[in-house]
Amino acid sequence: MVANPSALFPDAAGRAPAVSERLLAVDSVNLEYHTRERIVRATHNVSFDVYGGDRFVLLGPSGCGKSTLLKAVAGFIAPRSGSISLDGKPVHGPGADRIVVFQEFDQLPPWKTVLQNVMFPLRTAKKLGRAEAKERALHYLEKVGLAAFVDAYPHTLSGGMKQRVAIARALAMEPRVLLMDEPFAALDALTRRKMQEELLRLWEETRFTLLFVTHSIEEALVVGNRILLLSPHPGRVRAELNSHQYSHDSFGRIDFQRSVAHIHRLLFEETEPVQ
Ligand SMILES: Nc1ncnc2c1ncn2[C@@H]1O[C@H](COP(=O)(O)OP(=O)(O)O)[C@@H](O)[C@H]1O
Ligand SMILES: [Mg+2]
């Protein structure tokens, strides 16, 4: 059963007001892993649309197929059935129009400096000249507050700083959709909150389109303007909700707590199987 978003948040307009063309269409996607012993169904008939300027969140418990879905959108995994398209064109593999930021802190080659890390994909995938790549890399490193660390090597940085580099590297590519798979989950609580605030500030400045994966209800409500709730393994769509009215200031407010409780019920209470 898919809950009506307006029933939960009646005043919600949903997506970013300025832009509204559909960028990403995920239609009845089934994803499977074929191991030697068995077939693991990761998602079942998942459909959603992401519009320009959305901060679209996939929320569900561990093992419900969020990372698999993100990998399918990134083009690393092909759906067993269903389709994924970007700007009306089917996704058949990875591309510079979809860049992923992962949770792990080791996603930066350790032998490259911060600046080289951000420049490298600009040179290879975007085919920018050295001067242009450097200028763009410095621009985004400044945006994430790392202008003073351009010559540092990743192992000298904290986890939060490494994630900032990964975010700068992804944004510098100016992808059609920025994909983030629990990018702050391995950070301490204070740093996580700071990174969420910074991500939202960056979004205010540049209005990129974001597809963000998390298992945290609070993070989903704060980061997202729309949330797709997925049931436990295999992931099916439980509901789609609007959440653009929430920010960190909402913590502790009664309507925020009610939404957390409501989502918790939708995620974990037994419902009749769909189909
Ligand atoms: N490489 C793999 N081979 C087999 N099964 C996998 C593989 N990766 C993930 N799975 C299974 O697919 C399901 C979805 O995994 P995943 O997408 O990582 O979930 P989530 O990101 O929501 O925690 C889980 O049951 C997981 O065990
Ligand atoms: Mg995952």
Side-chain angles (χ1 to χ4, degrees), residues 33 35 40-42 61-69 182 233:
Y33 291 101
T35 67
V40 180
R41 164 73 47 111
S62 185
C64 78
K66 304 181 296 298
S67 294
T68 309
L69 258 174
E182 311 223 27
H233 176 79

Side-chain angles (χ1 to χ4, degrees), residues 16-263:
V19 217
S20 64
E21 89 267 32
R22 185 170 72 166
L23 288 191
L24 180 68
V26 173
D27 187 16
S28 304
V29 162
N30 288 301
L31 292 161
E32 289 176 356
Y33 291 101
H34 291 240
T35 67
R36 207 173 303 169
E37 301 81 36
R38 63 200 187 102
I39 295 171
V40 180
R41 164 73 47 111
T43 69
H44 186 77
N45 278 351
V46 170
S47 300
F48 60 92
D49 291 329
V50 178
Y51 290 80
D54 261 342
R55 301 185 313 278
F56 196 95
V57 174
L58 302 175
L59 171 65
S62 185
C64 78
K66 304 181 296 298
S67 294
T68 309
L69 258 174
L70 211 70
K71 283 178 192 152
V73 171
F76 300 135
I77 300 175
R80 177 80 186 141
S81 63
S83 66
I84 301 174
S85 57
L86 184 67
D87 290 318
K89 291 180 218 86
V91 162
H92 285 309
D97 49 5
R98 287 150 289 137
I99 305 290
V100 196
V101 174
F102 295 98
Q103 177 185 139
E104 293 76 21
F105 297 150
D106 62 1
Q107 57 193 301
L108 307 169
W111 57 88
K112 289 186 193 296
T113 64
V114 164
L115 180 61
Q116 288 164 349
N117 258 287
V118 179
M119 280 177 67
F120 181 69
L122 291 172
R123 298 273 287 147
T124 53
K126 284 276 181 180
K127 312 253 182 288
L128 295 191
R130 172 165 287 282
E132 209 183 337
K134 185 173 179 183
E135 191 184 336
R136 196 187 295 185
L138 288 173
H139 172 78
Y140 282 96
L141 282 166
E142 192 181 325
K143 274 196 180 298
V144 299
L146 288 180
F149 294 88
V150 293
D151 295 323
Y153 284 89
H155 75 275
T156 66
L157 305 177
S158 68
M161 290 161 87
K162 285 181 195 164
Q163 291 309 74
R164 285 192 186 97
V165 179
I167 292 168
R169 182 177 61 176
L171 284 177
M173 294 289 283
E174 298 179 350
R176 293 291 283 161
V177 189
L178 174 62
L179 310 173
M180 300 183 104
D181 190 356
E182 311 223 27
F184 311 140
L187 298 168
D188 64 90
L190 290 178
T191 308
R192 188 182 318 144
R193 181 179 166 140
K194 196 150 188 289
M195 295 294 291
Q196 291 163 352
E197 284 168 351
E198 285 184 14
L199 182 69
L200 290 169
R201 183 180 47 73
L202 283 169
W203 182 86
E204 288 293 341
E205 280 173 31
T206 42
R207 299 284 165 135
F208 49 85
T209 304
L210 177 64
L211 180 58
F212 187 100
V213 161
T214 183
H215 65 265
S216 157
I217 298 174
E218 286 84 359
E219 182 167 70
L221 284 169
V222 168
V223 167
N225 68 324
R226 295 202 294 142
I227 304 174
L228 192 78
L229 296 190
L230 295 167
S231 69
H233 176 79
R236 302 163 186 259
V237 175
R238 270 273 157 88
E240 195 180 312
L241 314 169
N242 293 320
S243 57
H244 74 290
Q245 71 271 46
Y246 292 124
S247 68
H248 287 103
D249 298 336
S250 317
F251 281 11
R253 263 184 16 211
I254 191 77
D255 58 333
F256 186 82
Q257 292 308 327
R258 276 208 193 105
S259 292
V260 171
H262 181 80
I263 290 173

